[in-house]
Amino acid sequence: MYDAIQIVHSYWAYLVVLVVTLATINALAGFFGKREYAPKDFRISLFALIVSHIQLLIGIVIFFLSPLVVWFSGTHAVGEIMKDATLRLYNVEHPIIMILTIVFITVGYSKHKKKLTSTPKFKMLAIFYTIAWILMLSRIPWAQWF
């Protein structure tokens, strides 16, 4: 079961990276290009929100099933986890940074809906989605991907 969920999590991550990148570029282009906020802009930012939240749910399942997550096994002390770069990545860095990524996407999406004109809408999306995008790319376990 773990292997199947791991595969889904890994392949869904490609979609998340693609869609969040697209949403970030769209928000930045809309803000700097001073264009009007259109329904397609809403859909792009919403799709980024949806795919990232689905990835979070899959990631939560992985967190409790993964053999690389040893918090709950009792076999490793916290100090051992923090000294080992791989264990630290899977037990601490990746989960926390990805949760922060989702928080930034969610806050940016929520704040942009409250704005009434195009420039502030794009500004909120550009700021929060760019921060989320940078965080996300910083803690993807690239060695596992390629």
Side-chain angles (χ1 to χ4, degrees), residues 24-57:
T24 302
I25 291 168
N26 183 63
L28 290 166
F31 178 69
F32 290 114
K34 303 286 186 210
R35 64 181 164 82
E36 287 297 313
Y37 187 80
K40 86 166 175 61
D41 301 311
F42 178 80
R43 284 189 214 102
I44 290 170
S45 60
L46 177 62
F47 196 58
L49 178 83
I50 291 169
V51 298
S52 61
H53 277 81
I54 291 170
Q55 181 72 339
L56 174 66
L57 294 175

mmCIF file of all heavy atoms in Angstrom, residues 24-57:
data_model
loop_
_atom_site.group_PDB
_atom_site.id
_atom_site.type_symbol
_atom_site.label_atom_id
_atom_site.label_comp_id
_atom_site.label_asym_id
_atom_site.label_seq_id
_atom_site.Cartn_x
_atom_site.Cartn_y
_atom_site.Cartn_z
ATOM 1 N N THR A 24 1.929 31.115 -10.452
ATOM 2 C CA THR A 24 2.853 32.159 -10.013
ATOM 3 C C THR A 24 3.234 33.065 -11.187
ATOM 4 O O THR A 24 3.195 34.295 -11.065
ATOM 5 C CB THR A 24 4.116 31.528 -9.394
ATOM 6 O OG1 THR A 24 3.725 30.686 -8.298
ATOM 7 C CG2 THR A 24 5.076 32.583 -8.894
ATOM 8 N N ILE A 25 3.586 32.464 -12.314
ATOM 9 C CA ILE A 25 3.937 33.251 -13.499
ATOM 10 C C ILE A 25 2.738 34.080 -13.958
ATOM 11 O O ILE A 25 2.881 35.250 -14.312
ATOM 12 C CB ILE A 25 4.458 32.332 -14.630
ATOM 13 C CG1 ILE A 25 5.811 31.751 -14.234
ATOM 14 C CG2 ILE A 25 4.544 33.073 -15.954
ATOM 15 C CD1 ILE A 25 6.297 30.630 -15.126
ATOM 16 N N ASN A 26 1.553 33.486 -13.931
ATOM 17 C CA ASN A 26 0.343 34.200 -14.330
ATOM 18 C C ASN A 26 0.088 35.402 -13.420
ATOM 19 O O ASN A 26 -0.246 36.492 -13.895
ATOM 20 C CB ASN A 26 -0.855 33.252 -14.314
ATOM 21 C CG ASN A 26 -2.113 33.914 -14.793
ATOM 22 O OD1 ASN A 26 -2.213 34.338 -15.927
ATOM 23 N ND2 ASN A 26 -3.085 34.017 -13.898
ATOM 24 N N ALA A 27 0.258 35.209 -12.114
ATOM 25 C CA ALA A 27 0.037 36.311 -11.166
ATOM 26 C C ALA A 27 1.069 37.415 -11.363
ATOM 27 O O ALA A 27 0.722 38.604 -11.358
ATOM 28 C CB ALA A 27 0.081 35.786 -9.736
ATOM 29 N N LEU A 28 2.320 37.040 -11.532
ATOM 30 C CA LEU A 28 3.372 38.039 -11.758
ATOM 31 C C LEU A 28 3.152 38.779 -13.079
ATOM 32 O O LEU A 28 3.291 40.008 -13.139
ATOM 33 C CB LEU A 28 4.750 37.376 -11.739
ATOM 34 C CG LEU A 28 5.226 36.878 -10.373
ATOM 35 C CD1 LEU A 28 6.428 35.956 -10.529
ATOM 36 C CD2 LEU A 28 5.537 38.032 -9.452
ATOM 37 N N ALA A 29 2.786 38.045 -14.127
ATOM 38 C CA ALA A 29 2.537 38.673 -15.429
ATOM 39 C C ALA A 29 1.329 39.607 -15.355
ATOM 40 O O ALA A 29 1.340 40.690 -15.940
ATOM 41 C CB ALA A 29 2.320 37.602 -16.493
ATOM 42 N N GLY A 30 0.311 39.198 -14.639
ATOM 43 C CA GLY A 30 -0.869 40.047 -14.488
ATOM 44 C C GLY A 30 -0.571 41.305 -13.704
ATOM 45 O O GLY A 30 -1.036 42.399 -14.057
ATOM 46 N N PHE A 31 0.225 41.164 -12.663
ATOM 47 C CA PHE A 31 0.562 42.329 -11.837
ATOM 48 C C PHE A 31 1.463 43.296 -12.600
ATOM 49 O O PHE A 31 1.173 44.490 -12.691
ATOM 50 C CB PHE A 31 1.236 41.894 -10.536
ATOM 51 C CG PHE A 31 1.651 43.034 -9.667
ATOM 52 C CD1 PHE A 31 0.708 43.830 -9.034
ATOM 53 C CD2 PHE A 31 2.995 43.331 -9.480
ATOM 54 C CE1 PHE A 31 1.087 44.899 -8.233
ATOM 55 C CE2 PHE A 31 3.386 44.390 -8.684
ATOM 56 C CZ PHE A 31 2.425 45.178 -8.052
ATOM 57 N N PHE A 32 2.558 42.796 -13.141
ATOM 58 C CA PHE A 32 3.505 43.676 -13.829
ATOM 59 C C PHE A 32 2.990 44.133 -15.195
ATOM 60 O O PHE A 32 3.370 45.191 -15.677
ATOM 61 C CB PHE A 32 4.874 43.011 -13.958
ATOM 62 C CG PHE A 32 5.583 42.893 -12.643
ATOM 63 C CD1 PHE A 32 5.839 41.644 -12.083
ATOM 64 C CD2 PHE A 32 5.977 44.017 -11.943
ATOM 65 C CE1 PHE A 32 6.485 41.527 -10.855
ATOM 66 C CE2 PHE A 32 6.623 43.916 -10.725
ATOM 67 C CZ PHE A 32 6.875 42.669 -10.174
ATOM 68 N N GLY A 33 2.114 43.335 -15.812
ATOM 69 C CA GLY A 33 1.543 43.710 -17.099
ATOM 70 C C GLY A 33 0.321 44.603 -16.970
ATOM 71 O O GLY A 33 -0.243 45.021 -17.973
ATOM 72 N N LYS A 34 -0.119 44.838 -15.744
ATOM 73 C CA LYS A 34 -1.272 45.710 -15.475
ATOM 74 C C LYS A 34 -2.509 45.294 -16.274
ATOM 75 O O LYS A 34 -3.254 46.123 -16.759
ATOM 76 C CB LYS A 34 -0.939 47.178 -15.779
ATOM 77 C CG LYS A 34 0.253 47.728 -15.035
ATOM 78 C CD LYS A 34 -0.061 47.969 -13.595
ATOM 79 C CE LYS A 34 1.118 48.667 -12.928
ATOM 80 N NZ LYS A 34 1.237 48.333 -11.543
ATOM 81 N N ARG A 35 -2.734 43.994 -16.390
ATOM 82 C CA ARG A 35 -3.908 43.560 -17.140
ATOM 83 C C ARG A 35 -5.090 43.326 -16.207
ATOM 84 O O ARG A 35 -4.944 43.257 -14.994
ATOM 85 C CB ARG A 35 -3.597 42.342 -17.992
ATOM 86 C CG ARG A 35 -3.224 41.092 -17.277
ATOM 87 C CD ARG A 35 -2.924 39.994 -18.320
ATOM 88 N NE ARG A 35 -2.221 38.888 -17.745
ATOM 89 C CZ ARG A 35 -2.805 37.896 -17.074
ATOM 90 N NH1 ARG A 35 -4.096 37.868 -16.911
ATOM 91 N NH2 ARG A 35 -2.074 36.917 -16.564
ATOM 92 N N GLU A 36 -6.242 43.205 -16.802
ATOM 93 C CA GLU A 36 -7.467 42.985 -16.044
ATOM 94 C C GLU A 36 -7.535 41.542 -15.561
ATOM 95 O O GLU A 36 -7.169 40.615 -16.283
ATOM 96 C CB GLU A 36 -8.700 43.297 -16.908
ATOM 97 C CG GLU A 36 -8.922 44.765 -17.148
ATOM 98 C CD GLU A 36 -9.194 45.537 -15.864
ATOM 99 O OE1 GLU A 36 -10.027 45.078 -15.044
ATOM 100 O OE2 GLU A 36 -8.571 46.592 -15.668
ATOM 101 N N TYR A 37 -8.047 41.383 -14.358
ATOM 102 C CA TYR A 37 -8.234 40.067 -13.773
ATOM 103 C C TYR A 37 -9.421 39.408 -14.471
ATOM 104 O O TYR A 37 -10.520 39.962 -14.513
ATOM 105 C CB TYR A 37 -8.480 40.214 -12.271
ATOM 106 C CG TYR A 37 -8.513 38.919 -11.516
ATOM 107 C CD1 TYR A 37 -7.345 38.285 -11.147
ATOM 108 C CD2 TYR A 37 -9.728 38.331 -11.161
ATOM 109 C CE1 TYR A 37 -7.365 37.102 -10.446
ATOM 110 C CE2 TYR A 37 -9.762 37.147 -10.452
ATOM 111 C CZ TYR A 37 -8.583 36.530 -10.105
ATOM 112 O OH TYR A 37 -8.602 35.358 -9.413
ATOM 113 N N ALA A 38 -9.207 38.226 -15.025
ATOM 114 C CA ALA A 38 -10.235 37.535 -15.812
ATOM 115 C C ALA A 38 -10.611 36.205 -15.151
ATOM 116 O O ALA A 38 -9.899 35.722 -14.262
ATOM 117 C CB ALA A 38 -9.703 37.295 -17.219
ATOM 118 N N PRO A 39 -11.701 35.602 -15.597
ATOM 119 C CA PRO A 39 -12.089 34.293 -15.046
ATOM 120 C C PRO A 39 -10.993 33.232 -15.174
ATOM 121 O O PRO A 39 -10.852 32.380 -14.298
ATOM 122 C CB PRO A 39 -13.324 33.914 -15.861
ATOM 123 C CG PRO A 39 -13.922 35.223 -16.243
ATOM 124 C CD PRO A 39 -12.736 36.134 -16.483
ATOM 125 N N LYS A 40 -10.188 33.283 -16.244
ATOM 126 C CA LYS A 40 -9.107 32.291 -16.380
ATOM 127 C C LYS A 40 -8.065 32.462 -15.273
ATOM 128 O O LYS A 40 -7.491 31.488 -14.806
ATOM 129 C CB LYS A 40 -8.469 32.357 -17.768
ATOM 130 C CG LYS A 40 -7.370 33.363 -17.914
ATOM 131 C CD LYS A 40 -6.575 33.156 -19.171
ATOM 132 C CE LYS A 40 -5.559 34.230 -19.358
ATOM 133 N NZ LYS A 40 -4.557 34.370 -18.360
ATOM 134 N N ASP A 41 -7.839 33.694 -14.834
ATOM 135 C CA ASP A 41 -6.896 33.938 -13.740
ATOM 136 C C ASP A 41 -7.422 33.323 -12.443
ATOM 137 O O ASP A 41 -6.668 32.734 -11.670
ATOM 138 C CB ASP A 41 -6.658 35.439 -13.558
ATOM 139 C CG ASP A 41 -6.099 36.081 -14.813
ATOM 140 O OD1 ASP A 41 -5.122 35.540 -15.363
ATOM 141 O OD2 ASP A 41 -6.646 37.110 -15.242
ATOM 142 N N PHE A 42 -8.713 33.459 -12.236
ATOM 143 C CA PHE A 42 -9.353 32.857 -11.062
ATOM 144 C C PHE A 42 -9.204 31.341 -11.099
ATOM 145 O O PHE A 42 -8.848 30.714 -10.106
ATOM 146 C CB PHE A 42 -10.836 33.262 -11.010
ATOM 147 C CG PHE A 42 -11.582 32.642 -9.871
ATOM 148 C CD1 PHE A 42 -11.474 33.174 -8.594
ATOM 149 C CD2 PHE A 42 -12.380 31.528 -10.056
ATOM 150 C CE1 PHE A 42 -12.161 32.611 -7.531
ATOM 151 C CE2 PHE A 42 -13.069 30.958 -9.002
ATOM 152 C CZ PHE A 42 -12.957 31.504 -7.731
ATOM 153 N N ARG A 43 -9.458 30.754 -12.271
ATOM 154 C CA ARG A 43 -9.377 29.299 -12.402
ATOM 155 C C ARG A 43 -7.953 28.780 -12.188
ATOM 156 O O ARG A 43 -7.750 27.742 -11.559
ATOM 157 C CB ARG A 43 -9.895 28.863 -13.770
ATOM 158 C CG ARG A 43 -11.390 28.908 -13.859
ATOM 159 C CD ARG A 43 -11.892 28.270 -15.159
ATOM 160 N NE ARG A 43 -13.066 28.994 -15.579
ATOM 161 C CZ ARG A 43 -13.098 29.897 -16.540
ATOM 162 N NH1 ARG A 43 -12.012 30.192 -17.215
ATOM 163 N NH2 ARG A 43 -14.213 30.507 -16.850
ATOM 164 N N ILE A 44 -6.986 29.488 -12.721
ATOM 165 C CA ILE A 44 -5.583 29.064 -12.569
ATOM 166 C C ILE A 44 -5.182 29.078 -11.097
ATOM 167 O O ILE A 44 -4.594 28.120 -10.597
ATOM 168 C CB ILE A 44 -4.644 29.957 -13.411
ATOM 169 C CG1 ILE A 44 -4.852 29.693 -14.898
ATOM 170 C CG2 ILE A 44 -3.183 29.728 -13.034
ATOM 171 C CD1 ILE A 44 -4.157 30.682 -15.810
ATOM 172 N N SER A 45 -5.513 30.161 -10.387
ATOM 173 C CA SER A 45 -5.148 30.236 -8.968
ATOM 174 C C SER A 45 -5.932 29.216 -8.147
ATOM 175 O O SER A 45 -5.394 28.621 -7.207
ATOM 176 C CB SER A 45 -5.346 31.653 -8.430
ATOM 177 O OG SER A 45 -6.682 32.060 -8.564
ATOM 178 N N LEU A 46 -7.192 28.986 -8.499
ATOM 179 C CA LEU A 46 -7.993 27.984 -7.794
ATOM 180 C C LEU A 46 -7.448 26.582 -8.033
ATOM 181 O O LEU A 46 -7.363 25.776 -7.103
ATOM 182 C CB LEU A 46 -9.456 28.067 -8.237
ATOM 183 C CG LEU A 46 -10.401 27.027 -7.642
ATOM 184 C CD1 LEU A 46 -10.474 27.166 -6.122
ATOM 185 C CD2 LEU A 46 -11.789 27.156 -8.258
ATOM 186 N N PHE A 47 -7.067 26.280 -9.257
ATOM 187 C CA PHE A 47 -6.524 24.958 -9.571
ATOM 188 C C PHE A 47 -5.228 24.718 -8.801
ATOM 189 O O PHE A 47 -4.998 23.613 -8.297
ATOM 190 C CB PHE A 47 -6.317 24.803 -11.073
ATOM 191 C CG PHE A 47 -6.124 23.381 -11.507
ATOM 192 C CD1 PHE A 47 -7.076 22.412 -11.255
ATOM 193 C CD2 PHE A 47 -4.969 23.006 -12.177
ATOM 194 C CE1 PHE A 47 -6.887 21.097 -11.645
ATOM 195 C CE2 PHE A 47 -4.765 21.702 -12.574
ATOM 196 C CZ PHE A 47 -5.729 20.740 -12.311
ATOM 197 N N ALA A 48 -4.391 25.747 -8.673
ATOM 198 C CA ALA A 48 -3.164 25.626 -7.875
ATOM 199 C C ALA A 48 -3.508 25.315 -6.418
ATOM 200 O O ALA A 48 -2.861 24.481 -5.781
ATOM 201 C CB ALA A 48 -2.330 26.894 -7.973
ATOM 202 N N LEU A 49 -4.521 25.976 -5.902
ATOM 203 C CA LEU A 49 -4.967 25.726 -4.526
ATOM 204 C C LEU A 49 -5.441 24.280 -4.374
ATOM 205 O O LEU A 49 -5.049 23.583 -3.435
ATOM 206 C CB LEU A 49 -6.093 26.701 -4.167
ATOM 207 C CG LEU A 49 -6.706 26.539 -2.787
ATOM 208 C CD1 LEU A 49 -5.854 27.255 -1.754
ATOM 209 C CD2 LEU A 49 -8.119 27.085 -2.773
ATOM 210 N N ILE A 50 -6.252 23.819 -5.301
ATOM 211 C CA ILE A 50 -6.828 22.472 -5.208
ATOM 212 C C ILE A 50 -5.757 21.388 -5.310
ATOM 213 O O ILE A 50 -5.709 20.486 -4.468
ATOM 214 C CB ILE A 50 -7.910 22.275 -6.287
ATOM 215 C CG1 ILE A 50 -9.123 23.153 -5.977
ATOM 216 C CG2 ILE A 50 -8.320 20.808 -6.396
ATOM 217 C CD1 ILE A 50 -10.129 23.244 -7.111
ATOM 218 N N VAL A 51 -4.893 21.461 -6.332
ATOM 219 C CA VAL A 51 -3.901 20.395 -6.496
ATOM 220 C C VAL A 51 -2.904 20.372 -5.339
ATOM 221 O O VAL A 51 -2.457 19.296 -4.932
ATOM 222 C CB VAL A 51 -3.169 20.443 -7.857
ATOM 223 C CG1 VAL A 51 -4.126 20.269 -9.008
ATOM 224 C CG2 VAL A 51 -2.338 21.680 -8.025
ATOM 225 N N SER A 52 -2.586 21.535 -4.791
ATOM 226 C CA SER A 52 -1.650 21.558 -3.664
ATOM 227 C C SER A 52 -2.289 20.989 -2.399
ATOM 228 O O SER A 52 -1.623 20.300 -1.627
ATOM 229 C CB SER A 52 -1.113 22.967 -3.423
ATOM 230 O OG SER A 52 -2.150 23.853 -3.102
ATOM 231 N N HIS A 53 -3.575 21.232 -2.204
ATOM 232 C CA HIS A 53 -4.241 20.662 -1.031
ATOM 233 C C HIS A 53 -4.402 19.147 -1.149
ATOM 234 O O HIS A 53 -4.289 18.430 -0.149
ATOM 235 C CB HIS A 53 -5.603 21.335 -0.808
ATOM 236 C CG HIS A 53 -5.494 22.618 -0.072
ATOM 237 N ND1 HIS A 53 -5.144 23.803 -0.690
ATOM 238 C CD2 HIS A 53 -5.668 22.920 1.231
ATOM 239 C CE1 HIS A 53 -5.122 24.767 0.206
ATOM 240 N NE2 HIS A 53 -5.432 24.257 1.384
ATOM 241 N N ILE A 54 -4.658 18.669 -2.342
ATOM 242 C CA ILE A 54 -4.714 17.217 -2.546
ATOM 243 C C ILE A 54 -3.350 16.599 -2.245
ATOM 244 O O ILE A 54 -3.262 15.558 -1.584
ATOM 245 C CB ILE A 54 -5.186 16.880 -3.977
ATOM 246 C CG1 ILE A 54 -6.662 17.262 -4.135
ATOM 247 C CG2 ILE A 54 -4.971 15.401 -4.292
ATOM 248 C CD1 ILE A 54 -7.179 17.192 -5.560
ATOM 249 N N GLN A 55 -2.293 17.259 -2.703
ATOM 250 C CA GLN A 55 -0.941 16.770 -2.425
ATOM 251 C C GLN A 55 -0.671 16.750 -0.918
ATOM 252 O O GLN A 55 -0.028 15.832 -0.415
ATOM 253 C CB GLN A 55 0.091 17.632 -3.160
ATOM 254 C CG GLN A 55 1.522 17.196 -2.961
ATOM 255 C CD GLN A 55 1.869 15.903 -3.678
ATOM 256 O OE1 GLN A 55 1.012 15.099 -4.030
ATOM 257 N NE2 GLN A 55 3.144 15.680 -3.886
ATOM 258 N N LEU A 56 -1.154 17.750 -0.213
ATOM 259 C CA LEU A 56 -0.986 17.773 1.244
ATOM 260 C C LEU A 56 -1.659 16.565 1.883
ATOM 261 O O LEU A 56 -1.075 15.925 2.764
ATOM 262 C CB LEU A 56 -1.555 19.069 1.833
ATOM 263 C CG LEU A 56 -1.563 19.148 3.361
ATOM 264 C CD1 LEU A 56 -0.139 19.176 3.908
ATOM 265 C CD2 LEU A 56 -2.344 20.365 3.825
ATOM 266 N N LEU A 57 -2.862 16.254 1.462
ATOM 267 C CA LEU A 57 -3.568 15.100 2.029
ATOM 268 C C LEU A 57 -2.821 13.798 1.751
ATOM 269 O O LEU A 57 -2.674 12.955 2.644
ATOM 270 C CB LEU A 57 -4.990 15.019 1.470
ATOM 271 C CG LEU A 57 -5.919 16.156 1.875
ATOM 272 C CD1 LEU A 57 -7.253 16.035 1.151
ATOM 273 C CD2 LEU A 57 -6.118 16.182 3.385
#
